[in-house]
Amino acid sequence: AQSVTQLGSHVSVSEGALVLLRCNYSSSVPPYLFWYVQYPNQGLQLLLKYTTGATLVKGINGFEAEFKKSETSFHLTKPSAHMSDAAEYFCAVSPMDSSYKLIFGSGTRLLVRP
Amino acid sequence: EAGVAQSPRYKIIEKRQSVAFWCNPISGHATLYWYQQILGQGPKLLIQFQNNGVVDDSQLPKDRFSAERLKGVDSTLKIQPAKLEDSAVYLCASSLERGGGASPLHFGNGTRLTVT
């Protein structure tokens, strides 16, 4: 069965610092990969996704993620954190089969210090 | 375009009572999902509809949870009777096709349920 592991339930960075949120998946076949963001009292919003092609994916709000098959990872990065980036971030995978089920990790809360 | 609409936003009930949540997906979206998000966890899929048919309900506690999607549009999720462990945010999402790959999910703001 597919699973997603997000290392670190909380990550704290200073404003202007690099953001790195880690995501590893377990799958015998590389799945589709996603990052979603959730602001307080709101639903989830798609940040970026990897399906096929270029392994470095750019998303909204300056975020990007790189698919590394050899490491089964899909870490999310942003060069310079902004206060508005404070939110919960979820990595998700979807198997490349007919189910199209979206399986979420447990989430990482990003705190941005002034 | 209008987003996924959910109501109510908040609901507080006592255990053993019943509750219902409503979802109106984005117009034209064939696939509708209900997710349960317990505090501190990622969303867990409860049920997935394709038009008005159930695609996946393997994680739906069928002894107390039920869901329907009449006419392939709006959907209702019901819990009867509720337990304390049902306290969570219930998220509805929709996608143009059976999502996950090329068709991203669009989420509503959720219904926060507290069972006392």
Side-chain angles (χ1 to χ4, degrees):
Chain A
Q2 304 237 355
S3 66
V4 182
T5 301
Q6 291 185 242
L7 292 176
S9 59
H10 292 80
V11 170
S12 180
V13 301
S14 297
E15 191 173 20
L18 171 72
V19 175
L20 171 61
L21 305 182
R22 300 178 185 273
C23 172
N24 289 86
Y25 65 91
S26 64
S27 174
S28 57
V29 176
Y32 295 132
L33 296 158
F34 305 82
W35 276 98
Y36 281 83
V37 62
Q38 186 176 34
Y39 297 101
N41 298 314
Q42 294 186 25
L44 282 74
Q45 178 184 3
L46 181 65
L47 269 180
L48 49 80
K49 66 178 181 180
Y50 169 79
T51 53
T52 58
T55 56
L56 183 62
V57 181
K58 294 186 184 299
I60 62 172
N61 302 336
F63 284 93
E64 60 183 36
E66 186 172 11
F67 167 58
K68 292 187 176 181
K69 182 178 178 180
S70 61
E71 299 177 7
T72 61
S73 69
F74 191 56
H75 301 330
L76 181 71
T77 61
K78 182 174 181 178
S80 177
H82 192 273
M83 296 297 291
S84 61
D85 294 328
E88 185 110 26
Y89 292 80
F90 293 94
C91 182
V93 301
S94 180
M96 286 187 177
D97 59 23
S98 60
S99 73
Y100 291 109
K101 183 181 297 187
L102 202 59
I103 301 166
F104 287 90
S106 56
T108 297
R109 183 168 296 280
L110 177 65
L111 308 172
V112 182
R113 305 185 302 272
Chain B
E1 67 181 0
V4 176
Q6 290 189 248
S7 68
R9 284 301 310 273
Y10 306 92
K11 190 74 177 179
I12 301 174
I13 62 172
E14 295 182 352
K15 59 184 179 182
R16 291 187 289 274
Q17 286 186 323
S18 62
V19 65
F21 313 127
W22 173 83
C23 172
N24 180 239
I26 293 173
S27 178
H29 279 196
T31 310
L32 185 147
Y33 313 77
W34 283 102
Y35 281 85
Q36 180 192 57
Q37 186 177 17
I38 293 173
L39 186 65
Q41 300 181 20
K44 182 186 79 172
L45 179 67
L46 291 176
I47 188 167
Q48 177 181 343
F49 291 95
Q50 179 73 11
N51 296 310
N52 60 349
V54 175
V55 173
D56 184 347
D57 64 356
S58 57
Q59 297 196 81
L60 186 74
K62 299 180 185 63
D63 58 334
R64 298 184 300 106
F65 286 65
S66 65
E68 60 181 7
R69 189 183 186 196
L70 300 177
K71 301 181 180 179
V73 182
D74 292 5
S75 178
T76 303
L77 177 69
K78 297 179 181 178
I79 308 175
Q80 182 179 9
K83 293 185 176 181
L84 295 177
E85 58 261 36
D86 298 332
S87 294
V89 175
Y90 291 85
L91 295 165
C92 179
S94 69
S95 63
L96 192 60
E97 301 170 340
R98 287 178 71 176
S103 188
L105 272 63
H106 298 261
F107 285 84
N109 288 334
T111 295
R112 182 178 299 276
L113 173 67
T114 302
V115 182
T116 63

